[in-house]
Amino acid sequence: MFSGAHDFEISHSNFIVRESHHQTEDIQMAIQPPGYIRGMTDCPRSTLAFTGRNEILESLEKFFLSTTVPTNQKVFLLYGLGGVGKTQTALKFKQRLSSKKRLTKIYFIKANTEQLIQASYFDIAIDNGIVQAQDWHAGIHWLHSNQESWFIIMDKADDPKIPLTKYLPSCGHGNIIITSRNPDLQDVTTQSLEVQNMVPTEGIQLLSLKAVGGSLTAEQEKKVAQIAKRLHYFPLALVHAGAYIRQRKCLSTYLERLQNLRRQILEKEIPQSLDGYSLSIYATWKLSWDELSDQAKALLSVCAHLHYEKIPRLLFERAMKNIDNVYMPLGPSNAVDEARIILSELATFENVWDLNQFDEIVIEANSYSLLQVADEGLYEIHPLVQ
């Protein structure tokens, strides 16, 4: 079983590693979790093209530099739609915080899956000299037992099925930023903020930087402002539009292309990206779409045919309750039959309206930020998602 292994002995069925003079050998003998890569928690820098987000950065700074309760662990959630800039904002803040506060350790945990989280904590253990760590718990134990000003970015904790509290060090020190599409994580954090579209001036600045790079003529400024507005100042859309325009030198005709080739443009990936994120706008949201149940997909499909703001729950309730009344006077109708099929996804097994069940469907769509609850019984969907 251990061909070529050395520096160990077996006593009463126990596998015992002898002390080694080489740390790399010790690490190899440790039980490495799946997905582990040495140095995987090294924190990257933010993109060189980072623009704006001053209000969010100031809120983060106020929270993490507050001295009102200096001994408490500080956990902040940045949540919002995929591609809105949560990760880059967290990385930019890390740079700002490092210049104003002594951080003993900085780690970047990819929280897409439990396997990656566990592998990351194992890497933290190895980084701090626990070369014979038995499993990922050693990393959490180190963070818990060392009362230092360490800083963790737990990135892309999007999966609502992951019990994230299990992976948060239960101690009274340390600093953590969680980025997620799931607003429900507000329940496990000290403070939270939704990352939304950029303000117009910042969105225009970002698109100018990506599309042209240098100074703009008055006509170019006008075109950039029109494009940024059409893309609702959404960061990922602006970055992709900038790359598309720069490659094709099509600033003056981009809006016409977007009108005629919308799907092809929004599905196009960026082959070269400063932040290493090459997924297209649609591919980014498809990651969330693929995780949804048929019921949540049916709800969003209906919302896609309505105005994106103030979508009333009452619309679905009345349709479900009155579909049979509509069917009889009109006689056979393909439209009514199709409506019945869609509504059956949102009703109970007996095709009866159930408020609690409908709320659960809304909560599921909301957990990926594909649908927002604007108020009691009113919903919103981002125009680009729509």
Side-chain angles (χ1 to χ4, degrees):
M1 289 176 64
F2 302 102
S3 176
H6 57 84
D7 291 328
F8 74 93
E9 62 181 331
I10 297 176
S11 177
H12 303 293
S13 300
N14 292 320
F15 186 91
I16 302 170
V17 180
R18 289 180 182 152
E19 188 173 340
S20 172
H21 297 290
H22 302 285
Q23 181 173 318
T24 53
E25 292 181 359
D26 284 340
I27 294 172
Q28 289 170 0
M29 299 302 289
I31 304 172
Q32 298 181 9
Y36 168 69
I37 301 173
R38 185 77 186 276
M40 64 187 297
T41 55
D42 293 347
C43 194
R45 61 170 173 78
S46 64
T47 174
L48 296 174
F50 186 88
T51 304
R53 297 303 195 189
N54 292 320
E55 289 187 9
I56 298 176
L57 293 172
E58 288 170 6
S59 296
L60 288 167
E61 186 173 314
K62 182 179 179 181
F63 175 75
F64 282 102
L65 293 179
S66 171
T67 57
T68 53
V69 192
T71 58
N72 278 5
Q73 184 184 92
K74 296 178 179 179
V75 186
F76 199 106
L77 172 67
L78 292 175
Y79 69 94
L81 189 60
V84 79
K86 304 179 293 294
T87 300
Q88 288 302 317
T89 302
L91 291 173
K92 186 66 176 181
F93 174 70
K94 181 264 298 181
Q95 293 176 218
R96 180 182 287 200
L97 186 64
S98 299
S99 66
K100 298 186 179 183
K101 181 177 181 179
R102 183 177 175 272
L103 300 173
T104 54
K105 297 282 186 176
I106 301 174
Y107 296 111
F108 186 86
I109 295 177
K110 296 178 180 178
N112 311 57
T113 66
E114 287 196 74
Q115 184 181 93
L116 281 174
I117 297 173
Q118 293 176 6
S120 295
Y121 276 121
F122 183 84
D123 188 55
I124 291 174
I126 298 300
D127 182 66
N128 288 285
I130 310 174
V131 294
Q132 294 187 15
Q134 294 302 303
D135 60 20
W136 63 271
H137 291 91
I140 281 201
H141 178 72
W142 186 91
L143 293 167
H144 187 278
S145 57
N146 285 266
Q147 296 190 24
E148 301 178 2
S149 187
W150 43 260
F151 182 80
I152 290 176
I153 295 176
M154 190 167 281
D155 187 51
K156 293 182 173 60
D158 301 328
D159 190 346
K161 297 184 289 296
I162 294 177
L164 201 64
T165 51
K166 172 182 175 181
Y167 298 106
L168 296 177
S170 55
C171 54
H173 56 274
N175 309 277
I176 302 173
I177 289 181
I178 300 171
T179 72
S180 177
R181 304 181 187 193
N182 184 8
D184 292 341
L185 290 180
Q186 293 175 86
D187 296 334
V188 303
T189 57
T190 317
Q191 195 166 317
S192 62
L193 194 63
E194 182 179 8
V195 184
Q196 300 178 319
N197 297 336
M198 303 181 80
V199 298
T201 53
E202 293 177 353
I204 292 170
Q205 182 183 355
L206 176 60
L207 181 57
S208 300
L209 179 65
K210 301 297 291 184
V212 181
S215 57
L216 278 69
T217 65
E219 182 61 29
Q220 286 176 323
E221 288 180 354
K222 182 180 178 181
K223 283 292 183 182
V224 166
Q226 291 173 340
I227 295 169
K229 183 177 181 180
R230 178 73 65 86
L231 295 174
H232 302 274
Y233 310 104
F234 190 78
L236 185 60
L238 296 174
V239 169
H240 277 254
Y244 187 95
I245 292 167
R246 183 186 286 270
Q247 289 172 346
R248 293 163 177 77
K249 301 292 187 289
C250 62
L251 179 62
S252 61
T253 61
Y254 180 81
L255 285 177
E256 181 181 347
R257 293 185 183 213
L258 185 63
Q259 180 70 29
N260 298 326
L261 304 169
R262 183 182 184 88
R263 185 180 183 88
Q264 294 94 315
I265 290 176
L266 296 183
E267 282 184 338
K268 185 170 180 58
E269 297 184 352
I270 301 178
Q272 303 293 334
S273 173
L274 284 174
D275 59 6
Y277 191 91
S278 62
L279 286 180
S280 71
I281 303 162
Y282 282 174
T284 296
W285 295 333
K286 191 176 184 299
L287 293 174
S288 297
W289 174 265
D290 288 344
E291 294 297 321
L292 296 177
S293 65
D294 291 340
Q295 291 89 343
K297 289 179 179 179
L299 173 62
L300 290 172
S301 296
V302 173
C303 291
H305 294 275
L306 306 171
H307 190 272
Y308 57 84
E309 291 181 313
K310 296 182 179 179
I311 301 168
R313 181 178 62 207
L314 191 60
L315 181 149
F316 297 92
E317 181 180 354
R318 286 182 174 173
M320 219 168 287
K321 290 180 176 179
N322 296 326
I323 188 70
D324 290 328
N325 297 333
V326 172
Y327 184 79
M328 293 304 292
L330 293 180
S333 166
N334 290 336
V336 173
D337 290 340
E338 290 172 8
R340 290 174 70 90
I341 293 172
I342 294 173
L343 291 173
S344 67
E345 293 285 357
L346 306 177
T348 64
F349 182 74
E350 298 83 7
N351 279 337
V352 176
W353 167 259
D354 186 315
L355 176 58
N356 288 329
Q357 178 172 310
F358 189 81
D359 282 346
E360 289 299 319
I361 298 171
V362 170
I363 289 170
E364 181 188 355
N366 179 246
S367 69
Y368 291 96
S369 289
L370 293 175
L371 186 74
Q372 289 76 44
V373 181
D375 204 344
E376 170 66 23
L378 291 175
Y379 313 115
E380 294 180 351
I381 186 171
H382 192 282
L384 292 180
V385 175
Q386 183 201 37

